[in-house]
Amino acid sequence: MNNQLYINEIQPLFDDVQRAQIFTDQKTMTDAVPLFSVLEINKKYEETKNQEGFDLRSFVLAHFDFIGEKSIHRKDILPIEQHIEKLWDELTHTASENEGTLLKLPKPYIVPGGRFNEFFYWDSYFIMLGLQASGRVEMIKNIVENCSYLIQNFGFVPNASRTHFLSRSQPPYFSLMLDLLAESTGSEELYKTYYSTLEKEYKFWMDGEEELKNDFAVKRVIKTKEGDILNRYYDSENTPRPESYLIDIEDAENASGEEFYRNIRSACESGWDFSSRWFADNNTIQTIETLNLAEVDLNCLLWHLENTLAKASALQELKDQEAYYSHRAESRRKLIDQYFWDNEAKIYRDYNFKKHSHTSSEHIATLYPLYLGVASKEQAKAVSETIAGKFLYQGGLVTTTKETGQQWDLPNAWAPYQWLGFAGMKRYGFTQLANDIKNNWCSNVERVYNNTGKLMEKYNALDTKTIAGGGEYPNQDGFGWTNGVYLKLKQN
């Protein structure tokens, strides 16, 4: 029996289960594995659901298998580095078959932990930093190979390796993953090996560019009123997210606009679900307008992808391709400066192409031009002062300067941006600030670990006596990218 499950195949049953809230976490049903053919389950459900004494929970438990989240417990609290070394093995999964909504992958991979028991795209880059520090080069190769497999089979790396994520990706880190692998192996041959994969991912992000008129957007591409090409996050579906189904339906009741669900999903493609960064009123999710925005982080990552394609073309003496991608990269570098740099506020902001202006949100994605080397020395100095003055707290770098209860807002500090901050500041010579970022966050991680024996998904940067909160689900322990960034920072 083929155990692959697409949520739309069981839509009436799925809708009833999620609305009835028979599981505390709406992700539980999306991760279910059918014990019988979907056709058979649907038929049985229609035949029995209106019978006297029918119990929905009992029906679901009899027809699906549930793996659930995996908790990791130790008898004694080990030194933190030893704990992480053990975690690498405990968080390693294999998926050699399509099972339920889980997509098969050719190689083993590392999951974030807690409720997240599948492969995630941008998480994996920050996991790889720690694998490099641990000398686990084979697993770095596995992750690159899995991403390549997904790009070759689906045209992109999905948000995570489940069927209901086949409508969106996440921040495109594959070219940066190749840099990390090349650094770990001392070989540049892999840029040739994965050349077609790089091209395929680039085509995914640029799909629709040719048909665009000025001041319009299609899929992930925006053409400004001036005729310049930028990119945005996007999702091809405009329906409630299966993993947060009822939450989306309830939020949509008071939302304006026909594409509320797509705006929600598009924010998920950024990895920032959710933040005041996406809200027109800077406060409430009902005003979400992700689709109107070109984002500084995405455009910097695509600049890196264009540069990597130029480099990979040069290695193969593909002169025309090298010239093409070099031109694209140089053009985008200028556009990043033109559309995202706010000279008055000394910060990079997102660009609202509908309003032809910057968004008002101050957020930590301003680090990307420094991390990737796009910023000028003057811009980097200005950003360093903004970071030190507005974003750095006792427990690390916060993501925004606004507190809304959303998990990607103040007061939370997330692992990826501690690394981007540290490495970005080091790149431009702000060594003291880099070390402050590293020490503040690592101390916070160590404090929570010593108190709980766990590494968390996110941390409270302001109140270092408490654990972070906010968002649609409880704080998770495991935790892939925290482990990775902590080890990498301690090595530097």
Side-chain angles (χ1 to χ4, degrees):
M1 183 183 80
N2 180 7
N3 263 358
Q4 187 75 85
L5 176 66
Y6 293 87
I7 297 299
N8 59 358
E9 294 175 330
I10 56 161
Q11 191 54 45
L13 171 59
F14 182 82
D15 182 79
D16 291 345
V17 169
Q18 299 295 60
R19 287 179 185 273
Q21 294 179 272
I22 67 172
F23 300 111
T24 54
D25 187 344
Q26 296 241 306
K27 188 177 185 297
T28 304
M29 190 62 193
T30 69
D31 295 358
V33 179
L35 296 171
F36 312 95
S37 76
V38 169
L39 205 64
E40 188 179 335
I41 293 172
N42 284 339
K43 186 169 182 283
K44 189 77 176 287
Y45 182 60
E46 289 303 319
E47 289 172 353
T48 60
K49 68 178 182 180
N50 295 320
Q51 291 178 3
E52 191 176 338
F54 175 81
D55 182 73
L56 181 57
R57 183 181 177 86
S58 298
F59 179 87
V60 169
L61 294 177
H63 290 84
F64 294 89
D65 187 25
F66 296 88
I67 299 165
E69 68 179 65
K70 182 182 176 183
S71 295
I72 294 166
H73 300 287
R74 307 233 190 277
K75 288 181 181 177
D76 302 303
I77 295 184
L78 298 169
I80 191 167
E81 283 94 347
Q82 287 183 33
H83 176 69
I84 294 172
E85 288 301 332
K86 283 183 174 288
L87 279 174
W88 289 144
D89 297 322
E90 291 161 335
L91 295 174
T92 297
H93 284 216
T94 56
S96 54
E97 300 295 331
N98 293 321
E99 189 174 44
T101 56
L102 196 65
L103 299 168
K104 73 174 182 180
L105 292 170
K107 301 289 185 180
Y109 53 93
I110 292 178
V111 303
R115 75 201 280 265
F116 301 110
N117 51 16
E118 56 278 287
F119 175 89
F120 276 80
Y121 185 12
W122 82 309
D123 293 61
S124 295
Y125 174 73
F126 298 97
I127 287 169
M128 289 165 72
L129 293 171
L131 293 172
Q132 186 189 50
S134 294
R136 297 189 180 222
V137 179
E138 199 58 37
M139 184 58 82
I140 294 176
K141 290 178 182 175
N142 289 344
I143 292 170
V144 166
E145 191 60 26
N146 283 330
C147 287
S148 181
Y149 169 84
L150 289 165
I151 292 168
Q152 291 296 343
N153 281 273
F154 299 107
F156 64 102
V157 183
N159 182 148
S161 58
R162 291 193 178 275
T163 55
H164 52 277
F165 290 132
L166 290 174
S167 59
R168 66 174 177 268
S169 186
Q170 269 194 333
Y173 266 88
F174 184 71
S175 57
L176 280 157
M177 290 177 173
L178 292 187
D179 286 353
L180 200 62
L181 181 54
E183 189 182 288
S184 302
T185 59
S187 171
E188 291 198 331
E189 284 299 305
L190 57 94
Y191 292 105
K192 298 180 187 177
T193 304
Y194 294 106
Y195 184 70
S196 70
T197 305
L198 289 164
E199 279 200 313
K200 202 159 190 174
E201 182 171 48
Y202 187 63
K203 283 174 183 171
F204 167 78
W205 286 97
M206 302 310 295
D207 185 26
E209 176 186 9
E210 297 80 9
E211 62 202 67
L212 262 180
K213 298 175 185 173
N214 287 17
D215 218 15
F216 279 91
V218 62
K219 297 180 184 175
R220 292 165 178 82
V221 191
I222 288 167
K223 198 168 193 179
T224 67
K225 67 174 182 175
E226 294 85 3
D228 297 316
I229 296 293
L230 296 170
N231 288 80
R232 65 175 180 174
Y233 293 113
Y234 180 82
D235 189 301
S236 61
E237 298 286 337
N238 188 32
T239 56
R241 293 167 297 153
E243 72 278 13
S244 299
Y245 193 75
L246 194 58
I247 295 168
D248 283 0
I249 289 171
E250 290 171 348
D251 283 340
E253 288 175 4
N254 300 311
S256 56
E258 296 177 2
E259 292 199 295
F260 174 77
Y261 294 129
R262 199 191 306 279
N263 273 297
I264 285 284
R265 286 165 163 269
S266 300
C268 292
E269 186 168 76
S270 77
W272 286 45
D273 39 340
F274 291 102
S275 166
S276 56
R277 176 184 184 183
W278 312 123
F279 307 158
D281 69 354
N282 291 316
N283 197 50
T284 52
I285 200 165
Q286 284 78 13
T287 67
I288 193 166
E289 58 169 354
T290 323
L291 293 170
N292 293 343
L293 311 181
E295 295 88 0
V296 60
D297 46 354
L298 175 58
N299 283 277
C300 286
L301 288 167
L302 289 173
W303 172 83
H304 185 272
L305 176 51
E306 288 162 345
N307 256 349
T308 306
L309 277 161
K311 175 182 179 176
S313 299
L315 287 169
Q316 298 170 95
E317 297 184 0
L318 301 171
K319 300 295 185 188
D320 289 349
Q321 287 95 318
E322 181 189 358
Y324 173 75
Y325 289 117
S326 295
H327 173 73
R328 295 302 301 251
E330 185 51 38
S331 173
R332 194 183 294 270
R333 178 195 276 273
K334 290 174 183 172
L335 296 178
I336 288 167
D337 189 55
Q338 179 182 338
Y339 285 96
F340 301 117
W341 177 244
D342 183 338
N343 199 46
E344 286 184 23
K346 307 302 182 189
I347 197 170
Y348 288 93
R349 299 187 191 268
D350 297 326
Y351 178 75
N352 188 316
F353 85 98
K354 293 279 191 184
K355 296 176 181 173
H356 312 122
S357 64
H358 288 131
T359 63
S360 60
S361 175
E362 297 174 313
H363 56 73
I364 201 70
T366 190
L367 289 171
Y368 273 87
L370 279 71
Y371 182 64
L372 295 173
V374 180
S376 69
K377 287 181 181 178
E378 293 75 22
Q379 287 168 326
K381 186 175 189 299
V383 170
S384 75
E385 291 165 0
T386 302
I387 291 295
K390 292 189 173 185
F391 289 87
L392 182 59
Y393 287 86
Q394 186 181 350
L397 291 172
V398 295
T399 42
T400 72
T401 56
K402 184 130 180 102
E403 189 165 7
T404 62
Q406 297 294 343
Q407 64 174 353
W408 284 88
D409 277 330
L410 187 143
N412 290 342
W414 293 78
Y417 287 95
Q418 315 310 311
W419 174 249
L420 297 185
F422 172 80
M425 294 309 154
K426 287 273 279 194
R427 180 176 200 136
Y428 284 88
F430 306 110
T431 308
Q432 184 58 55
L433 179 55
N435 288 332
D436 288 345
I437 292 166
K438 165 187 166 177
N439 294 332
N440 289 17
W441 184 74
C442 286
S443 297
N444 201 2
V445 171
E446 289 159 2
R447 174 191 60 80
V448 172
Y449 178 71
N450 291 333
N451 290 339
T452 66
K454 298 178 185 298
L455 286 123
M456 298 295 182
E457 179 190 20
K458 56 185 181 283
Y459 292 84
N460 189 318
L462 276 65
D463 180 358
T464 54
K465 291 184 172 61
T466 63
I467 294 171
E472 300 176 331
Y473 55 84
N475 201 4
Q476 302 297 301
D477 72 276
F479 194 88
W481 60 20
T482 299
N483 309 339
V485 169
Y486 178 84
L487 284 186
K488 185 69 175 173
L489 283 173
K490 293 301 277 191
Q491 193 186 62
N492 280 269

